[in-house]
Amino acid sequence: MPFKSIQPDRRRLADEVYDELIEAIINRDIGLEDILVQEKLASEMKISRTPVREALMRLAQEGVLEVSNRGSFKLYRMGDGEVKELYQSRAAVEGQCARILAVRHTAEDISILRRTVEREENLTDQTVRTYFEANRNIHRTFVELAQNRFLLDMFNMIWGKAQVFPLFAKIEQIDLSQSLGDHMRLVDVIERGDRIEALETFTNHIQDGFDLQMQGIHAS
Amino acid sequence: MPFKSIQPDRRRLADEVYDELIEAIINRDIGLEDILVQEKLASEMKISRTPVREALMRLAQEGVLEVSNRGSFKLYRMGDGEVKELYQSRAAVEGQCARILAVRHTAEDISILRRTVEREENLTDQTVRTYFEANRNIHRTFVELAQNRFLLDMFNMIWGKAQVFPLFAKIEQIDLSQSLGDHMRLVDVIERGDRIEALETFTNHIQDGFDLQMQGIHAS
DNA sequence: CATTTGAATACTGTATACAGTATACATTAA
DNA sequence: TTAATGTATACTGTATACAGTATTCAAATG
């Protein structure tokens, strides 16, 4: 019997709400001053408060939202200091992945990386969002190949927070291609196999991304 | 008016449930085969399913529990491979903190670290749990001093998972003091200020902890 | 006796009802 | 007019009710 489960993971309403909220945040439908009221969201989506509440709490646990007043939620506002901390934590996670990959990588790994970089650096349009996603996809490929689910979880958490943030930057004001063009060098350093050099190179690359980010913020 | 807020952070039932479940897991009241049924837990604790459900989902999101069958939860069972991954992620987080501290630490930081190591290495009793907690407190001090809330979050997540796991090891079978005695060297390397040496030393220290852990597991 | 079918059970997901509390607003007293 | 106090409102946290579905077990059928 070759049939497989129809619903691999039963999708609950809370998941839908979660996705919709993320989408709304990215699209700036939810702003920094908005207070997310369970009843309002529920009635807008024509469902009950329960799944809304669940989604809100998940987002809060992930650090996308924070508790406002008496248990209400609002967008988490990152300051410059925290952006720096976020990039430091990126360096921790992705640097370690680079280290792992430098020590044990297959020829197949390298070829996957090369192909991914080539594909993703070929942007269809020049919006901040496509740039963000291309960049994320490239970096995620490194992490996935390192085959460590905890590091991957951390990666997703960091980039989940990041995604609600960087859209402040305006595409006209910074040269995004500057950062994108750099990725093939990262593959090279992994292929070379020196774990310390790999970690340093990744750390520097991420530091550059941070500088670019800060330029973008302070220009606007 | 010298009065301070009575309830600094309103504590909800879900928080209590969360703590009770963690406690129960550590005490082995909840085993690997047990299926956590919302109604049963709720009636045992004489509360409704809602806060129980909330606590369960939080634990699942943190990776302590996993979805069993049709949304039920059970303990997440770690295999040897995952333990290794967990230690790799520890090295990522704590190695980066060491790096940060190596670059910018104050004399005060060093003295705090020295005092913490001295205090915590002085175990009151020789159980796996006290060893575990002393070790965690020492390592957490490094992370706290690095002043990066994301790295601290990751640290807590990793050690939260760890705490449901390592108690398999039996105190008689491994020499725990072997690992504990090593911490003062970590402070030294940070004081020396070489960020690459600091990271490498931490990574090696954590690797040693992993080896010790594996010994403990396979002896039992 | 083995296999299928149907009904009871068990449990989750969602909706709703209820209680408690903080906030805002109005009303009253100085 | 301002400060204090009472009251209505708004919103969360918790309980409960209800619906749907997977699982189990028993009965029926070959």
Side-chain angles (χ1 to χ4, degrees):
Chain A
M1 222 202 309
F3 293 107
K4 246 315 168 211
S5 168
I6 306 255
Q7 303 197 354
D9 267 343
R10 223 185 113 69
R11 194 160 174 80
R12 289 164 304 157
L13 279 179
D15 299 325
E16 308 282 354
V17 177
Y18 179 90
D19 291 344
E20 272 199 55
L21 286 174
I22 291 268
E23 198 59 27
I25 292 168
I26 293 175
N27 293 339
R28 295 272 167 271
D29 294 334
I30 295 174
L32 284 165
E33 344 63 42
D34 288 318
I35 289 178
L36 276 358
V37 174
Q38 300 176 359
E39 275 182 69
K40 292 219 178 92
L41 293 170
S43 70
E44 261 181 67
M45 301 184 188
K46 297 195 177 49
I47 57 176
S48 83
R49 263 175 56 207
T50 312
V52 173
R53 183 180 162 73
E54 187 182 322
L56 287 174
M57 288 195 304
R58 229 160 87 199
L59 287 164
Q61 198 179 352
E62 288 171 6
V64 175
L65 302 179
E66 70 180 332
V67 175
S68 157
N69 202 9
R70 196 183 66 252
S72 295
F73 295 104
K74 63 178 191 194
L75 268 190
Y76 179 67
R77 168 86 191 226
M78 257 196 271
D80 282 3
E82 278 157 296
V83 177
K84 183 176 176 167
E85 291 175 23
L86 197 68
Y87 273 82
Q88 274 180 342
S89 67
R90 264 194 70 191
V93 170
E94 300 181 32
Q96 172 76 320
C97 288
R99 202 184 145 103
I100 292 170
L101 280 174
V103 174
R104 63 130 192 67
H105 62 263
T106 64
E108 175 70 5
D109 289 337
I110 300 295
S111 117
I112 289 174
L113 287 170
R114 288 238 152 77
R115 265 181 288 141
T116 305
V117 171
E118 257 161 38
R119 173 165 36 84
E120 295 291 341
E121 288 196 341
N122 207 351
L123 292 183
T124 53
D125 54 297
Q126 293 274 92
T127 66
V128 177
R129 186 153 178 188
T130 34
Y131 157 73
F132 176 81
E133 273 163 12
N135 200 27
R136 178 178 56 185
N137 289 340
I138 291 171
H139 280 270
R140 182 168 41 218
T141 306
F142 286 100
V143 178
E144 278 169 354
L145 289 175
Q147 295 187 38
N148 180 312
R149 76 205 68 193
F150 304 110
L151 290 172
L152 185 57
D153 282 351
M154 292 174 191
F155 178 90
N156 287 328
M157 188 150 299
I158 291 167
W159 285 77
K161 280 175 202 170
Q163 100 182 301
V164 310
F165 178 72
L167 306 183
F168 289 103
K170 295 284 186 302
I171 183 74
E172 311 85 40
Q173 290 157 346
I174 51 177
D175 181 15
L176 295 174
S177 61
Q178 179 185 327
S179 173
L180 261 191
D182 216 29
H183 289 115
M184 207 54 96
R185 267 190 39 237
L186 299 178
V187 185
D188 295 339
V189 82
I190 279 175
E191 193 173 24
R192 229 169 293 141
D194 181 330
R195 65 184 200 282
I196 291 181
E197 189 198 1
L199 191 145
E200 286 298 316
T201 307
F202 267 71
T203 302
N204 289 337
H205 171 78
I206 290 169
Q207 179 67 40
D208 291 346
F210 172 68
D211 295 339
L212 208 59
Q213 177 81 56
M214 292 314 266
Q215 274 177 44
I217 291 167
H218 291 126
S220 65
Chain B
M1 224 202 307
F3 294 107
K4 244 317 166 208
S5 169
I6 305 256
Q7 304 197 357
D9 265 343
R10 223 184 115 69
R11 194 162 174 78
R12 290 165 305 157
L13 279 180
D15 299 325
E16 308 282 354
V17 177
Y18 180 89
D19 291 344
E20 271 199 55
L21 286 174
I22 291 267
E23 198 59 27
I25 292 168
I26 293 175
N27 293 338
R28 293 274 167 269
D29 293 333
I30 295 174
L32 284 164
E33 344 63 44
D34 288 319
I35 287 178
L36 274 1
V37 175
Q38 300 176 0
E39 276 183 66
K40 293 216 178 94
L41 293 170
S43 70
E44 261 181 69
M45 301 186 188
K46 296 193 176 48
I47 56 173
S48 83
R49 263 175 56 209
T50 311
V52 173
R53 183 180 163 74
E54 187 183 321
L56 287 173
M57 289 194 304
R58 228 160 88 198
L59 286 164
Q61 197 180 351
E62 288 171 6
V64 174
L65 302 179
E66 70 179 332
V67 174
S68 157
N69 201 8
R70 198 184 65 251
S72 296
F73 296 104
K74 64 177 191 194
L75 268 189
Y76 179 66
R77 168 84 190 229
M78 255 196 271
D80 282 2
E82 277 157 297
V83 177
K84 185 178 174 165
E85 291 175 24
L86 197 67
Y87 273 82
Q88 274 180 342
S89 66
R90 262 193 70 191
V93 170
E94 300 181 32
Q96 173 75 322
C97 288
R99 203 185 144 102
I100 292 170
L101 281 175
V103 174
R104 63 131 192 68
H105 61 262
T106 63
E108 174 69 5
D109 288 338
I110 299 296
S111 118
I112 290 174
L113 287 170
R114 290 240 151 79
R115 266 180 287 140
T116 306
V117 172
E118 257 162 39
R119 173 165 37 83
E120 294 292 340
E121 287 194 342
N122 207 352
L123 292 184
T124 53
D125 55 296
Q126 293 274 90
T127 66
V128 176
R129 187 153 178 189
T130 31
Y131 158 73
F132 176 81
E133 274 165 13
N135 200 28
R136 178 177 57 184
N137 289 340
I138 291 170
H139 280 269
R140 185 173 32 221
T141 305
F142 286 100
V143 177
E144 279 168 355
L145 289 176
Q147 296 188 38
N148 181 311
R149 75 204 71 192
F150 305 111
L151 290 172
L152 185 57
D153 282 350
M154 292 173 190
F155 177 90
N156 287 328
M157 188 149 297
I158 291 169
W159 285 77
K161 280 176 202 170
Q163 101 183 300
V164 309
F165 178 73
L167 306 183
F168 288 104
K170 296 284 185 302
I171 183 74
E172 311 85 40
Q173 290 158 347
I174 51 176
D175 182 15
L176 295 175
S177 59
Q178 180 185 327
S179 174
L180 262 191
D182 217 28
H183 288 116
M184 207 54 96
R185 266 190 40 238
L186 299 179
V187 185
D188 296 339
V189 83
I190 280 175
E191 194 174 23
R192 226 168 294 139
D194 182 329
R195 65 184 201 281
I196 291 181
E197 189 198 1
L199 191 145
E200 286 298 315
T201 307
F202 267 72
T203 303
N204 290 334
H205 171 79
I206 290 169
Q207 180 66 39
D208 291 345
F210 172 68
D211 294 340
L212 209 59
Q213 177 82 53
M214 292 315 263
Q215 275 177 42
I217 292 166
H218 290 127
S220 65

